[in-house]
Amino acid sequence: KKDIRDLALIRDIHKFNQLLEILASQSGQLLNVAELSNTCGLAKQTIEHYLFLLEATYILKRIVPYSKNLRSELFKTPKVFFYDTGLMQMFWFKGLQKEILGSVFETSVFSELVKKYGVENISFWRTTDKKEIDFILRQKETVLPIEVKLQLAQFQPTAIHYFSKKYSIKKYKVVYLKGEPKHDCDIVPWQL
């Protein structure tokens, strides 16, 4: 607490901690700074400053949506992810959970992708009609859509098929924890 207050010049440690709790509960979701500002009672500028500090200290990362148009990619709403699922759970639940939740699993996959491929190669994809793919992994000249499901049976290929057709992509992966694989694209996290 002292380091955060003194080194980062954070005046209201209570509101900062409240922001961390909220961000932890929203790992893997779209980031709405205005909503965070209203909920925490902090100015948008202050929220942006805190987000900068949290990114600079590798607590969390904002990832941008995938688009072939760089201009639209820069102005779309990012998602926020914690790097460490243990820390995320400590802020969110005040302890570690006995059962894995979908958002915690998705955050753990994010962490593994960052370790293996680098954060600059990771984005997500979402349309205005809410078709969404959890991760788009940029690899040299291609992209690889990755969907994350705790239960493989929950996977619906609609968004992947739409994305594949739109961008002429042939391969994709579905990362799961529970279930029986049916296709080569179905993988468990350690196969990333």
Side-chain angles (χ1 to χ4, degrees), residues 18 57 60 71 146 156 161 174 191:
Q18 182 184 20
T57 56
L60 56 80
R71 175 178 272 173
I146 301 172
Q156 298 295 321
H161 289 161
V174 180
Q191 293 176 308

Side-chain angles (χ1 to χ4, degrees), residues 33-178:
V33 173
E35 182 181 294
L36 287 173
S37 176
N38 290 336
T39 303
C40 296
L42 292 166
K44 289 180 189 177
Q45 257 185 327
T46 304
I47 298 279
E48 287 291 349
H49 174 68
Y50 289 172
L51 288 168
F52 170 79
L53 291 172
L54 292 168
E55 283 189 291
T57 56
Y58 299 98
I59 303 295
L60 56 80
K61 179 66 179 163
R62 288 177 275 193
I63 63 169
V64 295
Y66 175 79
S67 174
K68 286 195 173 184
N69 179 340
L70 187 59
R71 175 178 272 173
S72 67
E73 191 172 288
L74 292 174
F75 293 105
K76 289 185 179 178
T77 305
K79 276 188 173 185
V80 64
F81 281 95
F82 268 67
Y83 280 109
D84 183 308
T85 57
L87 188 60
M88 172 193 154
Q89 290 180 77
M90 294 305 288
F91 283 125
W92 187 7
F93 301 114
K94 309 298 183 253
L96 299 175
Q97 296 298 291
K98 294 179 181 173
E99 189 173 319
I100 297 174
L101 301 175
S103 61
V104 176
F105 181 56
E106 185 177 341
T107 299
S108 72
V109 170
F110 168 76
S111 295
E112 290 305 311
L113 288 170
V114 168
K115 289 175 197 169
K116 190 162 185 179
Y117 301 103
V119 73
E120 67 281 354
N121 295 313
I122 302 167
S123 55
F124 70 98
W125 180 78
R126 184 179 174 139
T127 64
T128 52
D129 62 346
K130 299 191 175 153
K131 287 180 187 77
E132 186 172 334
I133 298 174
D134 295 321
F135 300 107
I136 303 298
L137 179 62
R138 293 180 183 128
Q139 299 177 306
K140 297 180 184 173
E141 300 297 317
T142 65
V143 295
L144 179 67
I146 301 172
E147 189 64 23
V148 179
K149 294 294 179 196
L150 195 56
Q151 299 276 348
L152 185 56
Q154 295 173 332
F155 172 65
Q156 298 295 321
T158 309
I160 291 270
H161 289 161
Y162 182 87
F163 181 88
S164 297
K165 185 176 179 181
K166 180 176 178 151
Y167 292 105
S168 301
I169 304 296
K170 294 186 181 2
K171 293 183 181 181
Y172 66 90
K173 297 291 180 191
V174 180
V175 181
Y176 71 97
L177 197 58
K178 299 174 186 175

